[in-house]
């Protein structure tokens, strides 16, 4: 039998014949040229930068050269003349994209900070480096730093990604990304005329190219965020699976510096990610919130008091507890919030909780009991940057397992997602409370109810996606949801008034939100019920009918 005819099994490694062909992938990166007249081959910044596969001519050398030149021009317009911190993850396309970016950055005279020893660099380590450099500098001061992270996050092995972090250290806002996207596409259309570039060997030895020890700087400062003494004193046994990602060498250094009982269960780096179990659809994703992707660590959970994993750029976390296995991201966010706001006395009384509007209402109930203001924003970590920078937001999180929080003294730590700190926080929680986060979540359900949550997807054409993103409340005709009166129909986030790019419909003990995908011809429906699985399925079914009716009722 041909191995390629054997369907992948979720939770099992892919046969070698079904894994990505790395030589062909890298060849496609250099050999294929995007056609700027084809929408799928243009530069397109979503919520986390430009992503795509070289095989589909969606992430190729020309894209990286054009985006990097556009960033150079953007930072010049903004008066950003300090160092640019550049990090990469372990995807196969990250190294080639790094070399392309270095050639352009050096030719433009940018003071470039590459990782010492060409170490892989997690997203939070880049955000941390930007913030540390810019500390004390005014927003318009000279010498401000910014950064680039080359990563497609947890996406499959054939994908590449490229994102820009301005001087605030977090994901760039739409004003910056739109300018960079437009300029990059102009450069593509001009056949890269206007792109400055020098040979890679010369770029590495340019006077403006420097080395920075991201690993040591991040690890040395981590004790100002996590109570390492408590973890060490309690003797918490930790297991970590880096999922072959950028933090693979950070964990051993953390264990050594803080004298922790921490075991890295797998330190392989393999750009085909052949050691990874297949996800729910048979594809490889380094998703720490997936029970399939985390299967190897889950199988070892009984060896540890707490275990955790992170995605490829280490900006997402997955928590595996002895009491209940892999936690759903929403569950852990609620526990982390409940713990942090009771164990960080230096955080101000007005320090608030931030969440995206598709995250669980359990967070709302926990925040209310804590007496903390809740800031509910659209999907995208960029909405949290200002609150983290000034310390008005203590903890921020999203349902896809992204989070960060302040230092113990109430000052900013990172303004981008950080997978390592929330993972280690699970160990601190276990040490201080004597119970793991899974057991503590069950306490929350006793107090607030036991919600069930799901995300479903439905097909949508580009035209339908555009209409969904512009829906108004009066286009939702229904007045009830699963027999309960609809209390709110939101098209703008209550926390900051920003458009959510879809709708959220709230009823008693249940809600749904619908928004178009930025990368696929689908829309996503997020659903939660505090009345059980049957109620959840009713909401999901009615949600799809409500959205379909709203889309069908508009002129195309």
């Amino acid at each position: 039998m041909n191995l390629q005819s054997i369907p992948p099994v979720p939770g099992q490694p892919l046969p070698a014949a079904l894994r990505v062909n790395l030589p062909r992938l890298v060849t496609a990166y250099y050999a294929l040229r995007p056609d700027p007249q084809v929408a799928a081959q243009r530069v397109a910044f979503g919520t986390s930068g430009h992503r795509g596969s070289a095989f589909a001519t969606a992430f190729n050398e020309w894209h990286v050269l054009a985006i990097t030149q556009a960033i150079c021009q953007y930072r010049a317009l903004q008066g950003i003349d300090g160092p640019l911190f550049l990090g990469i993850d372990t995807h196969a396309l990250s190294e080639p994209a790094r070399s392309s970016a270095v050639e352009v950055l050096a030719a433009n005279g940018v003071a470039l900070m590459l990782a010492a020893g060409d170490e892989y660099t997690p997203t939070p380590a880049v955000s941390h480096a930007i913030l540390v450099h810019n500390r004390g500098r005014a927003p318009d001061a000279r010498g401000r730093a910014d950064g680039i992270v080359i990563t497609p996050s947890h996406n499959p092995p054939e994908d590449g990604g490229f994102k820009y972090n301005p001087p605030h250290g977090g994901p760039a806002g739409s004003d910056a990304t739109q300018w960079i996207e437009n300029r990059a596409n102009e450069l593509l259309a001009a056949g890269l005329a206007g792109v400055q570039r020098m040979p890679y060997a010369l770029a590495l030895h340019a006077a403006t190219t420097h080395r920075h020890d991201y690993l040591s700087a991040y690890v040395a400062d981590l004790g100002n965020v996590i109570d390492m003494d408590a973890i060490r004193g309690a003797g918490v046994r930790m297991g970590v699976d880096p999922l072959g990602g950028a933090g693979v060498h950070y964990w051993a250094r953390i264990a050594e510096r803080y004298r922790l009982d921490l075991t890295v269960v797998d330190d392989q780096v393999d750009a085909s990610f052949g050691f990874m179990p297949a996800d729910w659809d048979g594809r490889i994703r380094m998703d720490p919130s997936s029970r399939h992707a985390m299967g190897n660590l889950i199988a070892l959970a009984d060896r540890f008091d707490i275990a955790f994993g992170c995605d490829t750029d280490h900006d997402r976390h997955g928590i595996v507890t002895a009491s209940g296995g892999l936690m759903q991201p929403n569950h852990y966010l609620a526990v982390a919030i409940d713990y942090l706001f009771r164990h960080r006395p230096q955080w101000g009384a007005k320090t608030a909780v931030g969440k995206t509007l598709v995250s669980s209402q359990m967070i709302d109930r926990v925040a209310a009991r804590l007496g903390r203001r809740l800031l509910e924003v659209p999907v995208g970590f960029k909405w949290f940057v200002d609150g983290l920078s000034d310390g008005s937001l203590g903890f921020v999180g999203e349902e896809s397992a992204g989070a960060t929080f302040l230092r113990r003294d109430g000052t900013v730590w990172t303004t981008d997602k950080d997978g390592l700190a929330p993972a280690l926080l699970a160990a601190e929680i276990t040490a201080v409370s004597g119970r793991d986060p899974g057991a503590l979540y069950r306490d929350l359900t006793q107090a607030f109810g036991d919600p069930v949550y799901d995300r479903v997807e439905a097909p949508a054409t580009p035209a339908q996606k555009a209409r969904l993103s512009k829906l108004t409340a009066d286009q939702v005709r229904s007045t009830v949801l699963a027999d309960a009166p609809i209390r709110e129909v939101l098209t703008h986030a209550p926390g900051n008034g920003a458009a959510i790019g879809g709708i959220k419909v709230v009823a008693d003990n249940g809600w749904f939100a619908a928004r178009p995908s930025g990368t696929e011809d689908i829309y996503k429906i997020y659903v939660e019920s505090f009345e059980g699985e049957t109620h959840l399925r009713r909401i999901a079914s009615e949600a799809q009918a409500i959205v379909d009716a709203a889309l069908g009722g508009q002129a195309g």
Side-chain angles (χ1 to χ4, degrees):
M1 178 182 290
N2 186 341
L3 280 176
Q4 294 184 343
S5 68
I6 301 174
V9 177
Q12 297 296 320
L14 291 185
L18 296 183
R19 298 173 196 163
V20 63
N21 185 312
L22 297 179
R24 289 181 182 175
L25 180 67
V26 174
T27 298
Y29 172 82
Y30 288 108
L32 300 184
R33 296 286 182 262
D35 182 350
Q37 302 303 314
V38 177
Q41 297 181 25
R42 291 169 60 85
V43 172
F45 273 77
T47 54
S48 296
H50 175 76
R51 295 182 186 177
S53 172
F55 288 139
T57 326
F59 187 91
N60 302 83
E61 183 182 37
W62 275 38
H63 293 108
V64 174
L65 296 173
I67 294 170
T68 308
Q69 182 64 45
I71 288 172
C72 291
Q73 293 172 353
Y74 175 81
R75 69 196 310 267
L77 285 173
Q78 300 297 315
I80 303 167
D81 58 0
L84 184 144
F85 292 93
L86 187 149
I88 68 169
D89 75 0
T90 55
H91 275 79
L93 293 178
S94 294
E95 289 278 7
R98 171 185 175 272
S99 66
S100 302
V102 167
E103 292 176 355
V104 175
L105 292 165
N108 280 271
V110 174
L112 175 61
M113 308 300 284
L114 298 176
D118 289 328
E119 181 64 66
Y120 302 113
T121 310
T123 287
V126 173
S127 179
H128 174 265
I130 295 169
L131 292 172
V132 169
H133 178 88
N134 291 339
R135 188 179 296 151
R137 284 184 166 86
D140 57 351
R142 294 186 59 83
R144 290 177 300 150
D146 54 0
I148 290 171
V149 189
I150 300 176
T151 174
S153 188
H154 62 288
N155 280 28
E158 63 268 24
D159 281 4
F162 202 94
K163 64 181 184 178
Y164 174 63
N165 286 34
H168 58 51
S174 56
D175 54 343
T177 56
Q178 193 62 63
W179 194 98
I180 294 167
E181 176 184 313
N182 291 342
R183 181 59 184 142
N185 284 319
E186 289 173 359
L187 291 167
L188 288 181
L192 299 185
V195 172
Q196 299 181 56
R197 186 180 184 186
M198 71 166 60
Y200 182 59
L202 294 179
L204 283 180
H205 294 94
T208 51
T209 300
H210 311 282
R211 294 289 173 172
H212 178 72
D213 191 348
Y214 292 90
L215 192 160
S216 294
Y218 178 92
V219 171
D221 209 4
L222 198 53
N224 292 310
V225 184
I226 303 295
D227 188 348
M228 300 295 189
D229 292 340
I231 298 172
R232 182 175 58 254
V236 177
R237 295 170 302 147
M238 293 165 280
V240 59
D241 189 344
L243 303 183
V248 63
H249 299 140
Y250 280 58
W251 294 105
R253 184 76 68 84
I254 291 168
E256 177 185 13
R257 180 178 180 88
Y258 297 105
R259 292 176 287 125
L260 304 179
D261 185 353
L262 186 152
T263 301
V264 178
V265 302
D266 191 343
D267 62 359
Q268 294 183 73
V269 175
D270 166 16
S272 74
F273 292 91
F275 54 85
M276 282 291 300
D279 206 357
W280 61 273
D281 59 353
R283 301 190 72 190
I284 295 296
R285 291 185 189 86
M286 287 58 70
D287 181 358
S289 65
S290 164
R291 62 181 177 86
H292 301 296
M294 290 280 280
N296 293 339
L297 184 59
I298 293 170
L300 301 174
D302 59 359
R303 291 174 45 188
F304 307 105
D305 299 313
I306 193 76
F308 30 80
C310 292
D311 68 337
T312 325
D313 68 321
H314 270 50
D315 71 346
R316 301 187 190 203
H317 60 272
I319 310 299
V320 180
T321 68
S323 66
L326 179 66
M327 294 187 73
Q328 291 186 26
N330 277 313
H331 296 182
Y332 181 61
L333 295 183
V335 171
I337 291 165
D338 190 56
Y339 173 85
L340 281 169
F341 283 90
R342 291 186 293 106
H343 291 85
R344 293 295 187 266
Q346 290 182 273
W347 290 9
K350 294 185 177 180
T351 305
V353 177
K355 75 160 195 172
T356 55
L357 60 84
V358 297
S359 302
S360 175
Q361 280 192 347
M362 176 66 89
I363 294 170
D364 305 45
R365 299 181 183 195
V366 169
R369 184 173 74 174
L370 292 166
R372 297 287 176 163
R373 180 174 65 90
L374 181 72
L375 183 79
E376 189 173 14
V377 300
V379 172
F381 224 73
K382 63 184 180 182
W383 303 109
F384 298 130
V385 168
D386 289 346
L388 289 166
S389 297
D390 63 19
S392 61
L393 287 174
F395 179 98
V396 299
E398 58 185 14
E399 55 80 32
S400 56
T404 194
F405 44 95
L406 299 178
R407 296 168 183 265
R408 293 159 70 187
D409 67 2
T411 59
V412 62
W413 166 241
T414 63
T415 47
D416 211 330
K417 295 188 289 287
D418 186 341
L420 295 95
L424 288 163
L425 179 66
E428 180 188 329
I429 292 170
T430 303
V432 172
S433 67
R435 302 168 69 209
D436 70 39
L440 295 174
Y441 182 75
R442 288 195 292 275
D443 290 349
L444 294 180
T445 65
Q446 293 296 314
F448 302 119
D450 191 2
V452 285
Y453 183 98
D454 197 9
R455 188 181 80 182
V456 295
E457 299 173 349
T461 65
Q464 289 174 323
K465 288 166 57 180
R467 291 200 296 271
L468 174 57
S469 68
K470 297 175 182 175
L471 278 182
T472 60
D474 59 11
Q475 288 171 298
V476 177
R477 314 287 191 207
S478 301
T479 59
V480 296
L481 181 66
D483 292 334
I486 290 176
R487 302 298 185 190
E488 289 183 295
V489 179
L490 302 172
T491 57
H492 289 73
N496 61 1
I500 64 179
I503 58 170
K504 181 174 181 178
V505 177
V506 182
D508 293 336
N509 286 328
W511 60 271
F512 79 85
R515 56 185 295 271
S517 168
T519 57
E520 301 175 82
D521 286 337
I522 60 174
Y523 68 84
K524 301 176 182 180
I525 299 177
Y526 306 81
V527 192
E528 185 172 47
S529 167
F530 278 78
E531 296 183 7
E533 190 70 28
T534 300
H535 187 240
L536 181 86
R537 294 301 153 206
R538 284 195 61 191
I539 294 176
S541 176
E542 293 181 22
Q544 188 160 342
I546 288 171
V547 173
D548 288 345
L551 291 177
Q554 300 181 67

